[in-house]
Amino acid sequence: MDRRARQRGAWLVVAACLLLGGLPATALAYVTTDLINFDLTETTSSYGGGTQFHISSGTDGWVSYRWLDVPSKDTVISGNFCSDLSLIGKSSIPSGNTAYHQLFNGFQGECFIVRGRTAAGEGSMTNYDGRIQR
């Protein structure tokens, strides 16, 4: 490779770095809240007797849930409107799974309540902690 080709290649690398380095990094500012002792039965109930949450600013609007303790039962966790508890979105979480599961996508400031239950025939699950990411 001659000197001119090497110089052109070097300039292409520099130009690419400048272009890519000039793009803004998108960091999402999720807020997480731990839900302590989210006790569930086969009947749907609201966490904290109806504790209200809001989607934070600077995010893509996704609300996700995960168990901090390894769940012993299959569970269904949902996000519901504060006004009338109607369903926004939900996720079925298998027993033993502690990964984040997307519940729904909303807008900044949207009010929601977290509800949950164990799967039919599974019985109750007490003293399990979870985390909402919003």
Side-chain angles (χ1 to χ4, degrees):
M1 181 186 292
D2 70 357
R3 188 171 61 126
R4 286 185 192 166
R6 280 194 304 263
Q7 285 176 336
R8 266 194 309 266
W11 280 110
L12 286 173
V13 169
V14 169
C17 288
L18 289 173
L19 283 173
L20 293 175
L23 296 176
T26 47
L28 300 178
Y30 285 109
V31 172
T32 58
T33 303
D34 290 350
L35 283 65
I36 307 302
N37 293 335
F38 193 3
D39 298 337
L40 302 179
T41 65
E42 293 179 31
T43 303
T44 303
S45 61
S46 300
Y47 174 75
T51 301
Q52 295 182 353
F53 299 95
H54 297 85
I55 298 176
S56 65
S57 61
T59 72
D60 57 4
W62 277 105
V63 174
S64 302
Y65 181 85
R66 70 174 288 239
W67 286 108
L68 297 175
D69 301 319
V70 178
S72 60
K73 317 269 184 187
D74 293 342
T75 58
V76 178
I77 305 297
S78 66
N80 300 74
F81 287 109
C82 290
S83 58
D84 61 4
L85 295 182
S86 62
L87 180 68
I88 306 171
K90 67 180 180 177
S91 184
S92 297
I93 303 174
S95 66
N97 189 311
T98 58
Y100 273 108
H101 294 265
Q102 292 181 329
L103 301 181
F104 67 93
N105 186 267
F107 56 88
Q108 176 184 332
E110 182 172 13
C111 182
F112 66 95
I113 293 174
V114 177
R115 298 183 52 126
R117 65 174 175 80
T118 58
E122 296 266 335
S124 63
M125 194 173 91
T126 57
N127 297 323
Y128 283 79
D129 302 335
R131 178 171 290 153
I132 195 79
Q133 176 179 280
R134 52 196 167 86

